Amino acid sequence: MSRADDLNATLRRVHPAAALNLSTAGEGLFYPQGIPTQSAEARGCAIDATIGQVTDGHGHALALPAIAEAIAALDFDQATLYAPQGGRPDLRQAWRAHIQADAPAGPGPLTLPVATSGLTHGLCLVATLFARPGGTLLLPDPCWGNYVATFQRVFGARPRTWRLLRERPEPGQALDLDAFRAALAALTEPSTLLLNFPSNPLGYSPTPDEAAAVVQAVDGSPVPLVVVCDDAYQGMVWEPSARRTSLFHDLSRLDPARVLAVKVDGATKELFYFGGRVGFISFGAEGEAAVVLEDKARAAARATISSVSATSQAVLARALASPDLAAQQQAVRERLAGRYRALKDELHRAGLPSLPFNSGMFAMVPVPGDPEGLRKQLLTEGVGVVSLPESRALRLSYGSVSRAEIPGLVRAIARHLG
Ligand SMILES: Cc1ncc(COP(=O)(O)O)c(C=O)c1O
């Protein structure tokens, strides 16, 4: 019996009125034993490498001073009255400029971003606009588990996967481009493709050649595609050999008869404003297409959450105007890069194999036996990690552990796998 069946059977017994009125999505939903659950179980561990959130390693925020100052300076009216539908106009303009500043070949087609309640809500708006029951969603394997919850369990789309990494990845040639091309070639109807670089849970970003091959394959798709770039970890790239900027900028230049590029991003990870819950959805479109798509995104936001927190938008708008923001962001990135290098060195020293990682805040360590059993054992030793049984691996987050804790983290795992 699946977990949803189990919950439904209980509800039928204890609350028939609720059970008999469940929607299709309501019937299929159950709270997954995913990252939030595993992270909650690791609370209190001396080393907590579970969550994709940047802390000082002791559970405290590494807030950017620009964000902290903006919180302290909150304007009472701006923070307590409704924010405009679709987001504050000044914030939307500022985020658009923020995206365009990163476009490697100069600004391409880009709508005014619509504010969302975090990236999860941005993805929910993508699904609201483009997911059809039984329609195809092409996902990388491995990928962030919440895509399946939103697109499949709530909206009824059918996920298909392509294997992200080659069987024997080599430096500069890690992506399984053959698997990607084959997955695209097998599509027979208009579909949604989701790309996520730097990726969760792998922590991988493509080289410029790999990125160009991905864009070329998308361009040759046999069916019209909506290509969603989940750019949650935008800019957190630690190797010069990896591409730092979003593939959205290239994808948005493809023929609108065949490709619509959608960018989902936000302040959550990019500006280390995890609890602020401000994200954005933007489209690679211009002219009338931009007007229509923005209208539909605002309508989808209106229908789901109405408007995004005025308080958080006020904070972000002020922080984005700070001339020091880029330097402050860079300082936290450098701290993360230090942890990245320490993790690489320690894994190497311990002889622990890992899958290729070069960006974001995660690394995956293959576990030949039982990853979930190992996770539970590590919990008893005061070490929190995430198990990914389907990938037969552990995911380590170096966002939430200090650099000093990294040797202990690796030693604890190596004791069981070495
Ligand atoms: C790849 C990816 N996309 C989206 C999200 C969700 O972001 P938010 O917390 O802004 O909803 C996460 C969070 O872990 C993530 O890892």
Side-chain angles (χ1 to χ4, degrees), residues 93 197 223 343 378 399:
Q93 289 292 354
F197 299 120
V223 298
L343 182 58
L378 288 167

Side-chain angles (χ1 to χ4, degrees), residues 213-288:
V214 167
V215 174
Q216 195 182 32
V218 167
D219 199 18
S221 160
V223 298
L225 290 176
V226 167
V227 186
V228 186
C229 296
D230 176 342
D231 288 341
Y233 301 90
Q234 175 62 51
M236 299 182 188
V237 175
W238 318 128
E239 297 287 351
S241 56
R243 174 162 160 151
R244 198 189 54 76
T245 55
S246 172
L247 268 61
F248 171 84
H249 300 295
D250 309 34
L251 295 163
S252 64
R253 291 188 156 91
L254 299 182
D255 182 354
R258 293 204 316 277
V259 176
L260 170 68
V262 185
K263 188 172 186 348
V264 174
D265 56 10
T268 309
K269 324 258 179 188
E270 258 189 80
L271 296 180
F272 314 105
Y273 190 29
F274 302 95
R277 315 303 305 140
V278 188
F280 297 92
I281 178 174
S282 322
F283 302 93
E286 49 199 354
E288 278 184 288

Side-chain angles (χ1 to χ4, degrees), residues 8-357:
N8 296 341
T10 305
L11 206 57
R12 274 196 297 277
R13 188 163 46 74
V14 297
H15 206 309
L20 292 167
N21 279 292
L22 283 174
S23 65
T24 308
E27 275 184 7
L29 281 168
F30 59 93
Y31 195 83
Q33 300 294 303
I35 294 161
T37 305
Q38 298 192 22
S39 189
E41 286 176 12
R43 214 158 283 149
C45 277
I47 298 177
D48 179 1
T50 56
I51 195 160
Q53 167 167 263
V54 182
T55 68
D56 61 357
H58 309 287
H60 302 295
L62 285 182
L64 301 181
I67 297 272
E69 282 157 20
I71 291 172
L74 265 177
D75 177 295
F76 195 68
D77 284 346
Q78 285 182 345
T80 56
L81 296 174
Y82 275 136
Q85 297 284 317
R88 283 172 54 136
D90 60 336
L91 178 61
R92 297 178 67 193
Q93 289 292 354
W95 197 259
R96 187 169 197 265
H98 169 82
I99 294 174
Q100 286 180 329
D102 227 26
L110 177 66
T111 59
L112 197 57
V114 169
T116 62
S117 183
L119 279 85
T120 304
H121 181 233
L123 291 161
C124 179
L125 296 191
V126 173
T128 307
L129 295 181
F130 300 110
R132 294 179 298 273
T136 300
L137 168 72
L138 197 53
L139 290 173
D141 176 22
C143 70
W144 188 49
N146 219 17
Y147 300 137
V148 171
T150 303
F151 283 82
Q152 183 177 28
R153 292 201 199 107
V154 179
F155 288 91
R158 196 166 42 98
R160 287 194 199 174
T161 57
W162 62 283
R163 192 178 63 176
L164 192 56
L165 290 182
R166 288 157 55 128
E167 185 114 46
R168 285 190 191 75
E170 283 163 29
Q173 292 188 329
L175 284 193
D176 195 337
L177 291 165
D178 290 338
F180 184 58
R181 290 187 197 104
L184 286 175
L187 296 175
T188 53
E189 53 173 23
S191 300
T192 299
L193 164 71
L194 197 139
L195 297 174
N196 167 226
F197 299 120
S199 65
N200 178 6
L202 255 181
Y204 187 75
S205 287
T207 63
D209 284 351
E210 286 177 321
V214 167
V215 174
Q216 195 182 32
V218 167
D219 199 18
S221 160
V223 298
L225 290 176
V226 167
V227 186
V228 186
C229 296
D230 176 342
D231 288 341
Y233 301 90
Q234 175 62 51
M236 299 182 188
V237 175
W238 318 128
E239 297 287 351
S241 56
R243 174 162 160 151
R244 198 189 54 76
T245 55
S246 172
L247 268 61
F248 171 84
H249 300 295
D250 309 34
L251 295 163
S252 64
R253 291 188 156 91
L254 299 182
D255 182 354
R258 293 204 316 277
V259 176
L260 170 68
V262 185
K263 188 172 186 348
V264 174
D265 56 10
T268 309
K269 324 258 179 188
E270 258 189 80
L271 296 180
F272 314 105
Y273 190 29
F274 302 95
R277 315 303 305 140
V278 188
F280 297 92
I281 178 174
S282 322
F283 302 93
E286 49 199 354
E288 278 184 288
V291 174
V292 172
L293 289 165
E294 246 182 81
D295 190 282
K296 286 194 178 286
R298 276 196 299 134
R302 169 89 182 130
T304 45
I305 54 142
S306 184
S307 64
V308 174
S309 155
T311 309
S312 293
Q313 289 191 68
V315 169
L316 184 57
R318 192 177 167 112
L320 284 174
S322 163
D324 301 329
L325 184 72
Q328 294 169 3
Q329 191 185 18
Q330 188 54 23
V332 178
R333 283 186 187 160
E334 271 162 24
R335 225 159 136 166
L336 270 175
R339 295 177 189 179
Y340 160 79
R341 281 190 293 272
L343 182 58
K344 278 245 141 137
D345 291 349
E346 291 299 329
L347 288 169
H348 182 71
R349 194 164 304 145
L352 262 189
S354 59
L355 298 177
F357 67 105

Side-chain angles (χ1 to χ4, degrees), residues 342-414:
L343 182 58
K344 278 245 141 137
D345 291 349
E346 291 299 329
L347 288 169
H348 182 71
R349 194 164 304 145
L352 262 189
S354 59
L355 298 177
F357 67 105
N358 57 13
S359 55
M361 56 180 88
F362 306 113
M364 275 173 71
V365 171
V367 178
D370 169 18
E372 177 59 6
L374 178 54
R375 176 184 80 89
K376 290 208 163 122
Q377 172 59 36
L378 288 167
L379 277 181
T380 68
E381 299 168 20
V383 175
V385 295
V386 164
S387 74
L388 300 168
E390 278 156 25
S391 302
R392 299 176 68 106
L394 296 180
R395 188 195 78 169
L396 317 183
S397 164
Y398 50 93
S400 54
V401 288
S402 70
R403 190 173 173 154
E405 290 168 331
I406 287 174
L409 169 67
V410 173
R411 269 200 308 275
I413 298 169

